[in-house]
Amino acid sequence: MRMIILAFLVCLPSLVNAQFRYDYPIVCDDTQKVISVLEKEFEEKLSWKGLHVNDKSVYSLWTNEKNQNWTLLKMTPTTTCILGTGTNSVSTFGTLL
């Protein structure tokens, strides 16, 4: 047991400095097609967007206020990737957390 604890303590500094890696499938498709599906099928509207400083792609957040669903996109003029989807969306813009 002591060896396990010792091994953990020795490895702890490298674990703390490790970069976060998130492995999951990302779905990409034509930008206009993705936006059309979000607007028509999921009734989501653009809530926020921002320009990425390195590759000039646009990150955007789409939400449906009625059912509180949301979708996070990374967009280029031709291709859009869905980075995440979820529920229980709450707008906090303009408020202090």
Side-chain angles (χ1 to χ4, degrees), residues 44 63-70 86-90:
E44 292 186 4
T63 58
N64 179 321
E65 291 184 17
K66 292 178 198 168
N67 63 20
Q68 298 179 317
N69 290 339
W70 59 269
T87 189
N88 297 327
S89 172
V90 177

Side-chain angles (χ1 to χ4, degrees), residues 47-70:
S47 297
W48 173 89
K49 68 178 180 175
L51 189 64
H52 189 280
V53 295
N54 292 333
D55 65 8
K56 306 300 183 205
S57 62
V58 175
Y59 284 80
S60 61
L61 180 65
W62 296 72
T63 58
N64 179 321
E65 291 184 17
K66 292 178 198 168
N67 63 20
Q68 298 179 317
N69 290 339
W70 59 269

Side-chain angles (χ1 to χ4, degrees), residues 18-54:
Q19 290 185 348
F20 182 72
R21 182 179 170 112
Y22 198 65
D23 291 324
Y24 65 97
I26 295 176
V27 177
C28 301
D29 207 333
D30 174 73
T31 295
Q32 291 304 317
K33 183 178 176 183
V34 172
I35 291 172
S36 177
V37 168
L38 288 178
E39 290 177 336
K40 293 177 182 169
E41 292 184 33
F42 295 97
E43 299 178 3
E44 292 186 4
K45 295 181 181 176
L46 179 62
S47 297
W48 173 89
K49 68 178 180 175
L51 189 64
H52 189 280
V53 295
N54 292 333

Side-chain angles (χ1 to χ4, degrees), residues 68-82:
Q68 298 179 317
N69 290 339
W70 59 269
T71 304
L72 179 63
L73 304 177
K74 179 175 176 141
M75 305 166 62
T76 70
T78 58
T79 304
T80 292
C81 297
I82 300 171

